[in-house]
C-alpha cells in the first residue's frame, strides 16, 4: 500500500480537522498493515464514490477506511465534530441494522489492529494464510 491520500481541505466541512495521529500516519511512506481494513485513497475511484455517498443516511461523514470480508463497512469521521479528534462513525453497507462507532481515530485504530491480528492468527492456526 502507498501513502494515505486524505481528502483535501476544500472537500472537508468548514472547520473540520483530521486527527493528528492520522495526519502523521498519512505522512509515512507506508501505513500500518491492518488487513482486512484498508485506508481509502481520496484520489481513487472508490475514494470518489465513498465521498459521494457520505450523506446517504443523513449524517455528515468523511470516509477514511474500509473493511473487506464479513463486515464490509466503511469507517468515517463525524464531519460535524470540529474538535480535531472526531468520533468515528460506521457506514454499514449490508442493509443490516448493525450500528457501531468509536470515540475517536485512536480507538478505531486499536479495534482495527486487534481485528487484523485476530484474523491473521485464525488463518495461520487453520493453515489458511
Amino acid at each position: 500500500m502507498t501513502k494515505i491520500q486524505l481528502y483535501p481541505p476544500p472537500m472537508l466541512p468548514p472547520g473540520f480537522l483530521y486527527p493528528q495521529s492520522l495526519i502523521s500516519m498519512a505522512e509515512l511512506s507506508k501505513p500500518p498493515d491492518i488487513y482486512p481494513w484498508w485506508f481509502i485513497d481520496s484520489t481513487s475511484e472508490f475514494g470518489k464514490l465513498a465521498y459521494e455517498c457520505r450523506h446517504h443516511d443523513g449524517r455528515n461523514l468523511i470516509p477514511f477506511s474500509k473493511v473487506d470480508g464479513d463486515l464490509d463497512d466503511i469507517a468515517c469521521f463525524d464531519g460535524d465534530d470540529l474538535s480535531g479528534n472526531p468520533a468515528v462513525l460506521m457506514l454499514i453497507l449490508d442493509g443490516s441494522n448493525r450500528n457501531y462507532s468509536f470515540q475517536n481515530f485512536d480507538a478505531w485504530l486499536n479495534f482495527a489492529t486487534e481485528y487484523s491480528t485476530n484474523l491473521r492468527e485464525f488463518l495461520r492456526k487453520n493453515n489458511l494464510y
Side-chain angles (χ1 to χ4, degrees), residues 25 32-37 106-120:
M25 195 179 292
D33 180 5
I34 53 173
Y35 172 84
W37 289 92
D106 292 332
W108 170 84
L109 185 59
N110 286 337
F111 165 81
T113 301
E114 185 175 326
Y115 187 92
S116 175
T117 300
N118 290 340
L119 177 61
R120 288 173 199 262

Side-chain angles (χ1 to χ4, degrees), residues 4 33 48 51 56 64 67 84 114 123:
I4 299 169
D33 180 5
K48 293 172 188 173
Y51 185 82
H56 104 285
F64 69 88
V67 64
E114 185 175 326
L123 293 174

Side-chain angles (χ1 to χ4, degrees), residues 8-77:
M11 294 179 76
L12 300 175
F16 178 83
L17 299 170
Y18 281 112
Q20 187 57 51
S21 52
L22 177 60
I23 292 170
S24 298
M25 195 179 292
E27 292 170 350
L28 299 173
S29 59
K30 186 177 180 187
D33 180 5
I34 53 173
Y35 172 84
W37 289 92
W38 49 275
F39 289 96
I40 296 170
D41 177 346
S42 67
T43 63
S44 71
E45 288 302 313
F46 184 83
K48 293 172 188 173
L49 177 64
Y51 185 82
E52 288 178 21
C53 296
R54 67 189 211 94
H55 290 294
H56 104 285
D57 63 359
R59 297 180 291 174
N60 186 13
L61 303 175
I62 302 165
F64 69 88
S65 184
K66 181 168 182 325
V67 64
D68 291 329
D70 292 344
L71 294 179
D72 200 32
D73 301 337
I74 299 177
C76 306
F77 291 114

